[in-house]
Amino acid sequence: MKNIFRLQVKGLRPLLILFSYSAAALAQSITIPIETKDNALVIQANSDKDLNVIYFGKKLAETDEYDKVSDLYKQRNDNSGVFRSVYTSSGSRNLLEPAITVTHADGDNSLDLKYVGHAVEKISDNVSLLSVVLKDPVYKFEVTLFYKTYFKENVVEQWSEIKHQEKGNVVLHKFASANLYLKSESYWLTHYHGNWAREMQPEEAKLTYGIKTLDSKLGTRANLYMPSVFMVSLNKPATENEGDVLFGALEYSGNFKVDLELDAQNGLRLIAGINNYASEYTLKPNKTFTTPKFLYTFSSKGKGEASRNMQRWARDYKLLDGNGERLTLLNNWESTFFDFNENKLFGLLKDTKNLGVDLFLLDDGWFANKYPRNGDNAGLGDWEPNKKKLPNGVASLVKQAGAEGVKFGIWIEPEMVNPKSELCENHPDWVIKEPARAEKYFRNQLVLDLSNPKVQDFVFGVVDHLFSENPKLAFIKWDCNAVIYNAHSAYLKNQSHFYIDYMRGLYNVLAKVRAKYPKVPMMLCSGGGGRVDYAALQYFTEFWPSDNTDPMERIFIQWEYSYFYPAITSANHVTDWGKQPIKFRTDVAMMGKLGFDLNVKTLSPTDLQFCKAAVQAYNGIKDVVWHGDQFRLANPTEGDVASLLYLTEDKSTGVIFNYLVNNRYAAGSQFPIKLQGLKANKKYKLSEINLYPGTKSTVDEEKTYTGEFLMNVGFNPDVRAGRNSVILKLEAM
């Protein structure tokens, strides 16, 4: 006999349902389908109380049929019985990559986790939380697995809590957030690599037997070389609109590790969590170790659907003010670098007003006196305004911004310090460094030790002081430029706790900032995309994808980020990088949150006229871009043109961005581009917006098209040399 429990959300009122079982009941198998609108992860406790994954994929209408799946695989028994384990332990029967490894208080290294019971909490009509308790029958050690499901979005967040009641401390050697098991004939992994100005470089390859590991050991800027987001396609590489594909992302800003192991039965074991590199964690009795959340969504209709699942979930449930507004801005960095004074900034405030954007952002170089911040080799950590540059402090700039009718924002990098600074002189024990080794710098700086509560107070104080002195401060750009070399804390007694306690310290600071200043927009910057994840984006309104603002490169970088993050999070600036005309640069920056980082005074009169009009045009479409569903129409890696559509939920309004990405052999949009997501029987018209002064559109705005026509035949935006960027507005009649 089998017991089957269906995990769905059907009621509005929060409800907790507990299931615990006697020994007699556990002689039967217990099946728990974890279902969203379209998908199911089904776990089952057998008569030996081993908890395994028996199904992952598209939801079946008949729940009873999940039990029939395993019998259809005619393979040799794995003997251990743990290949499909929901949370694979080590030291007993398992000989594969574990999700958890421990040393017990008595020195024993074995662990065997058995199912005890589970509980279901209905949080809302769309969100539900399953908790499953596993215990070792020999040791007083337990793990609780959590599965938080978002029904309509087909998204699951998974994490674990680890605790014990042994007579002494237990050492955790590995402590994953999730352990999934997929079954298919073949698997294709899409993951990313990069470096500064080369973020989000994609690679797709077939997984072969053995283990493929995605990881970071950088401490901060953890995604600099390899982001913690990835895709796994089943049977064949998924396309935008076809194929079975899993999107995964770890909600963590520090060292991560994702192991993908193809086992002897051709099953794919996916284990994700904090990187256990140099991070053995000593857990005291009755204390709980909570892992970060692992986020995933599955689609049987290709990458586009999976992407929209994740984007909708992010806007509705995870992002800070995900369905709200964002500020357009002018940044001074590319026009002044460190060379500015109060009068020059007053002029830039006038430029901000003239351009028509919402905010002026003062970047690096405004602080430090004993060691003035005139370059990146001094002053970092000394957060008082530089008296030579700003004799009247930041307050005079905030006041003048108000007089000009714009808002004022400021750059900080509060986790970091230059060796040449008063902070480093006064508090050398606050700096992460090995006491007996030579200091190793990254961008001429070191990292402050956020495992130390005093350092946490200092970092919070940097933000708090700015706001207490300048209550009308409207924006923070929070940077993080260094990685951690010579990882050592003068504060911690147990150095193996360092990487984990550093991240806990960072999150403590960010939570404290948000508790006191809940709505102030903050940009998550890290010299580019070195730190972007959904744990951090709970505290930030947007992130900086890359210091590379060449618009041709940005098309590709922003395209790849968009699979995992919605447009409202992507801060895109118009700069002087690249050789493309101002229209192309501006059109590319409009695919997210628009900003400018150039010298307005050096623009030609016509370019300035265009930029001012572009801000107004953007204001007319930004709501669709920020909150609409995204459809990728033409992939820049596969042809001459990149094209993507943002569409409102009611299918009535859309914005289509089209770019020429190949300038050879008269390249252009030779064929019509098929749209997606429209209502087939609705009629639409297309018009071109954001035209450069003196140019005319080749789009016939008098014609109308049915959604059926646009999705099956398409529309040609006439992208070519001389029309290398085209923005179309789509409107239902």
Side-chain angles (χ1 to χ4, degrees):
M1 293 180 64
K2 297 179 176 67
N3 292 309
I4 299 177
F5 298 92
R6 195 181 191 94
L7 177 58
Q8 282 186 325
V9 182
K10 293 184 178 179
L12 283 169
R13 188 178 60 166
L15 177 65
L16 184 66
I17 305 172
L18 298 172
F19 302 97
S20 58
Y21 301 94
S22 63
L26 283 172
Q28 309 169 19
S29 63
I30 297 169
T31 303
I32 310 169
I34 305 165
E35 296 182 327
T36 60
K37 180 171 65 73
D38 299 313
N39 306 321
L41 166 65
V42 185
I43 58 179
Q44 185 180 80
N46 61 22
S47 58
D48 293 326
K49 296 185 280 186
D50 294 324
L51 189 61
N52 296 306
V53 176
I54 64 168
Y55 181 82
F56 184 94
K58 191 173 181 179
K59 183 168 69 175
L60 303 180
E62 297 294 331
T63 308
D64 292 348
E65 292 197 309
Y66 291 127
D67 287 314
K68 301 174 183 177
V69 174
S70 298
D71 292 339
L72 301 179
Y73 291 92
K74 305 302 181 183
Q75 296 176 300
R76 180 178 295 177
N77 189 290
D78 74 41
N79 193 48
S80 68
V82 298
F83 275 29
R84 294 170 172 262
S85 174
V86 299
Y87 201 71
T88 316
S89 55
S90 67
S92 51
R93 291 173 293 149
N94 173 50
L95 300 177
L96 300 174
E97 183 64 26
I100 183 169
T101 305
V102 307
T103 297
H104 295 284
D106 65 0
D108 191 271
N109 291 321
S110 68
L111 186 64
D112 194 12
L113 296 172
K114 300 289 187 177
Y115 170 81
V116 175
H118 67 278
V120 179
E121 180 183 359
K122 294 181 179 179
I123 297 172
S124 72
D125 62 337
N126 190 55
V127 183
S128 132
L129 180 64
L130 167 70
S131 56
V132 183
V133 179
L134 308 173
K135 290 186 178 180
D136 190 300
V138 176
Y139 290 92
K140 292 183 177 180
F141 187 97
E142 71 178 66
V143 175
T144 303
L145 304 178
F146 293 91
Y147 302 82
K148 192 172 186 179
T149 54
Y150 300 83
F151 189 78
K152 290 186 294 186
E153 294 78 16
N154 291 310
V155 164
V156 180
E157 287 183 299
Q158 188 175 338
W159 70 97
S160 59
E161 288 185 355
I162 304 166
K163 60 183 178 181
H164 71 93
Q165 294 178 322
E166 298 185 24
K167 295 180 180 179
N169 296 334
V170 169
V171 178
L172 307 180
H173 302 284
K174 192 173 183 182
F175 26 81
S177 298
N179 184 171
L180 299 181
Y181 189 84
L182 310 180
K183 199 70 174 177
S184 178
E185 292 183 8
S186 60
Y187 309 89
W188 296 80
L189 172 67
T190 302
H191 66 100
Y192 298 87
H193 65 92
N195 204 332
W196 179 82
R198 294 188 68 251
E199 290 83 357
M200 292 299 284
Q201 303 295 309
E203 283 194 3
E204 185 172 60
K206 186 177 181 179
L207 288 170
T208 57
Y209 288 99
I211 301 177
K212 173 72 173 182
T213 297
L214 313 177
D215 81 332
S216 174
K217 304 178 183 71
L218 303 180
T220 59
R221 298 188 72 179
N223 296 323
L224 179 62
Y225 300 145
M226 181 169 286
S228 57
V229 294
F230 61 92
M231 311 173 194
V232 177
S233 300
L234 308 184
N235 295 313
K236 62 180 181 180
T239 64
E240 192 69 24
N241 298 308
E242 293 182 347
D244 294 338
V245 62
L246 169 79
F247 278 30
L250 188 68
E251 298 179 36
Y252 192 62
S253 309
N255 295 345
F256 64 85
K257 186 177 185 183
V258 180
D259 292 316
L260 300 111
E261 181 175 23
L262 193 58
D263 66 26
Q265 292 191 333
N266 206 61
L268 184 64
R269 307 175 66 255
L270 193 162
I271 300 170
I274 295 175
N275 198 333
N276 55 325
Y277 162 76
S279 293
E280 291 185 342
Y281 201 88
T282 301
L283 187 63
K284 296 178 180 179
N286 299 309
K287 297 294 184 180
T288 300
F289 184 95
T290 303
T291 69
K293 295 179 175 68
F294 176 63
L295 163 72
Y296 51 96
T297 185
F298 178 79
S299 167
S300 60
K301 299 177 182 177
K303 297 176 182 179
E305 182 181 74
S307 177
R308 289 185 289 277
N309 287 344
M310 192 169 283
Q311 290 178 358
R312 288 192 206 106
W313 166 84
R315 289 192 299 265
D316 289 344
Y317 293 101
K318 184 60 63 169
L319 298 177
L320 183 64
D321 197 22
N323 290 304
E325 299 294 311
R326 297 294 185 266
L327 298 170
T328 55
L329 60 82
L330 174 65
N331 193 2
N332 72 300
W333 179 247
E334 300 262 341
S335 61
T336 69
F337 296 99
F338 294 101
D339 183 19
F340 57 82
N341 56 34
E342 185 179 73
N343 287 334
K344 186 180 287 189
L345 296 178
F346 282 174
L348 292 177
L349 289 170
K350 291 184 182 297
D351 291 340
T352 305
K353 176 66 173 178
N354 188 29
L355 194 58
V357 294
D358 302 315
L359 174 131
F360 173 74
L361 172 61
L362 175 59
D363 215 293
D364 195 357
W366 59 269
F367 52 90
N369 288 291
K370 183 178 180 181
Y371 303 106
R373 183 69 168 175
N374 295 322
D376 67 7
N377 62 343
L380 197 59
D382 301 342
W383 296 103
E384 72 282 350
N386 180 272
K387 294 177 181 178
K388 185 175 180 180
K389 294 179 182 179
L390 304 178
N392 299 300
V394 173
S396 67
L397 299 171
V398 178
K399 182 179 179 180
Q400 185 62 29
E404 295 289 351
V406 297
K407 299 178 184 294
F408 185 85
I410 202 163
W411 177 97
I412 56 174
E413 193 178 4
E415 298 164 72
M416 306 292 166
V417 64
N418 285 127
K420 193 175 181 180
S421 67
E422 291 185 83
L423 179 64
C424 201
E425 289 177 346
N426 296 333
H427 297 284
D429 56 317
W430 285 10
V431 179
I432 297 169
K433 57 182 178 179
E434 284 284 356
R437 300 190 185 278
E439 293 176 353
K440 174 66 176 175
Y441 306 131
F442 196 108
R443 200 184 181 239
N444 300 309
Q445 63 195 56
L446 296 167
V447 184
L448 293 176
D449 181 10
L450 278 174
S451 70
N452 185 335
K454 291 183 179 179
V455 177
Q456 294 174 34
D457 291 342
F458 168 80
V459 173
F460 170 76
V462 172
V463 181
D464 192 40
H465 181 72
L466 277 169
F467 281 112
S468 61
E469 292 289 314
N470 308 282
K472 292 186 178 181
L473 190 65
F475 188 90
I476 294 288
K477 179 181 177 182
W478 184 305
D479 215 339
C480 169
N481 281 295
V483 300
I484 295 177
Y485 292 123
N486 294 325
H488 179 88
S489 166
Y491 171 78
L492 290 176
K493 294 181 180 178
N494 189 337
Q495 295 302 316
S496 70
H497 288 197
F498 168 72
Y499 286 115
I500 293 171
D501 285 355
Y502 177 91
M503 290 312 308
R504 289 176 175 175
L506 173 63
Y507 292 145
N508 285 343
V509 171
L510 294 174
K512 195 174 178 181
V513 168
R514 280 307 173 198
K516 191 166 183 180
Y517 307 102
K519 295 185 178 181
V520 176
M522 292 205 308
M523 181 196 295
L524 176 62
C525 186
S526 190
R531 178 195 274 176
V532 53
D533 62 89
Y534 279 115
L537 284 173
Q538 297 176 95
Y539 306 107
F540 293 85
T541 48
E542 60 221 61
F543 73 94
W544 183 236
S546 178
D547 279 349
N548 186 344
T549 53
D550 181 314
M552 187 62 71
E553 299 294 342
R554 268 300 189 110
I555 289 171
F556 293 84
I557 292 172
Q558 291 167 198
W559 183 279
E560 299 300 335
Y561 271 122
S562 77
Y563 282 111
F564 303 95
Y565 302 102
I568 195 171
T569 63
S570 182
N572 307 331
H573 291 183
V574 182
T575 74
D576 287 328
W577 282 47
K579 298 179 181 180
Q580 296 81 7
I582 190 72
K583 173 174 164 53
F584 189 92
R585 288 180 271 154
T586 305
D587 287 356
V588 171
M590 283 186 172
M591 285 195 297
K593 204 219 75 168
L594 176 65
F596 291 82
D597 195 345
L598 42 69
N599 191 337
V600 175
K601 291 183 176 62
T602 63
L603 293 174
S604 71
T606 311
D607 280 358
L608 178 58
Q609 179 187 349
F610 167 77
C611 288
K612 293 169 68 173
V615 172
Q616 296 306 310
Y618 179 75
N619 287 338
I621 63 170
K622 63 186 182 184
D623 186 66
V624 182
V625 175
W626 293 346
H627 307 124
D629 288 328
Q630 183 189 58
F631 296 87
R632 295 172 201 83
L633 309 177
N635 192 318
T637 65
E638 298 172 357
D640 298 337
V641 174
S643 181
L644 57 88
L645 162 69
Y646 295 98
L647 186 65
T648 55
E649 188 174 0
D650 64 4
K651 318 293 188 184
S652 66
T653 307
V655 183
I656 310 167
F657 293 92
N658 306 275
Y659 309 104
L660 183 66
V661 295
N662 178 13
N663 293 316
R664 302 181 67 203
Y665 303 121
S669 54
Q670 297 178 9
F671 297 93
I673 296 171
K674 294 179 181 180
L675 276 58
Q676 301 172 32
L678 307 181
K679 288 187 176 180
N681 60 354
K682 191 179 283 289
K683 284 200 170 184
Y684 295 89
K685 68 174 184 177
L686 289 155
S687 58
E688 185 171 354
I689 63 171
N690 212 40
L691 289 163
Y692 191 79
T695 62
K696 292 183 179 181
S697 175
T698 62
V699 174
D700 187 346
E701 299 183 5
E702 299 300 319
K703 290 184 178 179
T704 61
Y705 309 86
T706 63
E708 179 187 38
F709 181 92
L710 292 172
M711 290 188 292
N712 289 282
V713 178
F715 181 83
N716 197 319
D718 190 23
V719 176
R720 51 182 166 76
R723 278 180 58 83
N724 58 2
S725 62
V726 176
I727 302 179
L728 301 175
K729 188 170 184 179
L730 175 81
E731 296 174 285
M733 299 296 291

